Amino acid sequence: MSNGFKTLDELDLTGKRVLLRADLNVPVADGKVTDATRIERLVPTIREIVKKDGKVILLSHFGRPKGKANGEFSLEQVCSAVADQTGHPVGFVATDWVDVSAAREAIDAAPAGSVLVMENTRFHPGEEENDTELAQRMASLGDVYVNDAFSAAHRAHASTEALAHLLPAAAGLAMQAELEALESGLGKPKKPVVAIVGGAKVSSKIDLLENLVTKVDGLVIGGGMANTFLFAQGYGVGKSLCEKDLADTARRIMDKADKANCAIILPIDAVVSWHFKANSPTRLYGVDAVDPDGMILDIGPSSIERINGAIDDAHTVVWNGPVGAFEMEPFDAGTVAIARHVAKRTHNGDLVSVAGGGDTVGALAHAGVKDQLSYVSTAGGAFLEWMEGKPLPGVEALKK
């Protein structure tokens, strides 16, 4: 047992039909998978099941078909990518999820050690409704259930929540690794803990900030979000992205942080431009003197030094969101500098670093350090809800 949830080694997989909830919701262009990262992370669990002559029956959603069959969202198109990653033949099982008798016959006829991809679970409206009858039809196809899709764990759907209560259930190896990494990040971290939160809008991360100030020793706020906090402190932010109507919310969060002895770390200088486009002219300003016609698009060198200093004092860093408009040069400099500093301290054994969220993964890849942190989560919404301190239905269902 690990952290209260069941793990793969607690299930008897030998010769069993294993319903493996995966996240095969991967980007596809012209019928080809363009980023197989989520599939790669399933490989250890698939191999472990195959090694024990179990049949791997992959369940996943794909896109938003809105409860109806739609060829554009068929999972048949990802089978070749699963085969490429596992080095194992992969079959496809078509079903409308209303009558699964033919699917059951296909699964029973498959030899031991087979890997099969079931049709998109969202082709039935009961999937997103967490329908028990649909979950029972799914359960009839297998002997045990394994969830290896942390990225879908924040949703109480038939294949992520209801199904887990109908069969012996456990976390897959990727799910286990994710949960253990998250536990080391915020659950039972080595202190001091510094959180870095960036991105465009405070409004999308109020719950996150409210939770973090009670859990961490330092909270770095960057990106467009920082402008709202600077405005709340009385600084002019020019024509920068800023949610001025959330100034009171920002002040409330700062007060809460103060009472919790959490240091809020905001930019002290900024890279300002007058055009929101790559390589436009820039000028460095202190945050107390930003040009009223300019836009803050990145943090400046003094801010980088200040944030890196906080990272030097930390034993754990949790990161969600870039600190500037990293998609455009030269406004990627702040995010890249911090990412490389986190990676260096992690490499030296001085830091446990956990990062996640779509833009964060992209920013770390841009900085060339995506594989150099302790753990980088490919889960978007689930990672954010975990950071917000919310229970995740797909994880709760696996608990003992």
Side-chain angles (χ1 to χ4, degrees), residues 39-40 43 46-47 50 79-90 113 115:
I39 298 174
E40 289 171 13
V43 171
I46 291 173
R47 286 182 176 163
V50 169
C79 289
S80 60
V82 177
D84 289 343
Q85 292 299 321
T86 58
H88 194 287
V90 173
V115 178

Side-chain angles (χ1 to χ4, degrees), residues 137-397:
R137 288 196 289 275
M138 292 175 172
S140 73
L141 302 176
D143 303 305
V144 296
Y145 171 78
V146 174
N147 193 339
D148 222 10
F150 177 79
S151 51
H154 59 309
R155 297 191 173 102
H157 288 176
S159 67
T160 61
E161 204 276 338
L163 179 55
H165 298 291
L166 301 176
L167 293 171
L173 297 175
M175 171 83 88
Q176 180 181 347
E178 184 110 28
L179 292 173
E180 289 175 349
L182 300 187
E183 184 73 1
S184 71
L186 277 187
K188 295 177 181 176
K190 187 176 181 183
K191 289 181 169 283
V193 183
V194 168
I196 303 170
V197 180
K201 294 183 177 182
V202 172
S203 54
S204 63
K205 297 188 179 180
I206 293 172
D207 290 348
L208 171 61
L209 297 172
E210 295 264 20
N211 183 51
L212 286 177
V213 295
T214 66
K215 296 279 186 74
V216 304
D217 303 287
L219 175 58
V220 175
I221 300 176
M225 296 174 59
N227 302 334
T228 301
F229 279 82
L230 292 171
F231 176 79
Q233 290 185 323
Y235 293 110
V237 294
K239 295 182 178 177
S240 309
L241 178 64
C242 179
E243 294 176 290
K244 295 181 179 180
D245 59 324
L246 290 181
D248 286 342
T249 300
R251 284 188 283 267
R252 185 185 76 236
I253 291 168
M254 287 189 282
D255 287 343
K256 187 174 182 178
D258 188 51
K259 290 172 183 172
N261 293 316
C262 168
I264 297 279
I265 301 168
L266 292 168
I268 52 179
D269 59 348
V271 177
V272 173
S273 184
W274 295 263
H275 305 283
F276 189 69
K277 63 180 183 181
N279 299 309
S280 55
T282 64
R283 187 173 171 187
L284 185 66
Y285 287 89
V287 294
D288 58 346
V290 171
D291 186 322
D293 292 323
M295 293 177 287
I296 297 172
L297 294 177
D298 196 12
I299 58 174
S302 296
S303 300
I304 294 171
E305 186 177 349
R306 187 182 190 198
I307 294 167
N308 283 348
I311 292 166
D312 287 338
D313 292 336
H315 287 301
T316 304
V317 163
V318 182
W319 192 348
N320 174 257
V323 298
F326 82 95
E327 303 91 342
M328 298 185 293
E329 294 183 350
F331 311 114
D332 57 344
T335 299
V336 167
I338 293 166
R340 290 177 178 170
H341 193 67
V342 168
K344 180 181 176 182
R345 298 234 337 130
T346 303
H347 176 76
N348 291 342
D350 300 321
L351 194 67
V352 172
S353 52
V354 179
D359 284 347
T360 316
V361 177
L364 294 173
H366 176 71
V369 298
K370 189 179 81 167
D371 299 324
Q372 297 176 34
L373 273 63
S374 304
Y375 194 84
V376 177
S377 172
T378 59
F383 183 82
L384 193 59
E385 290 198 21
W386 165 77
M387 285 187 75
E388 291 170 352
K390 296 176 180 176
L392 305 178
V395 175
E396 295 297 306

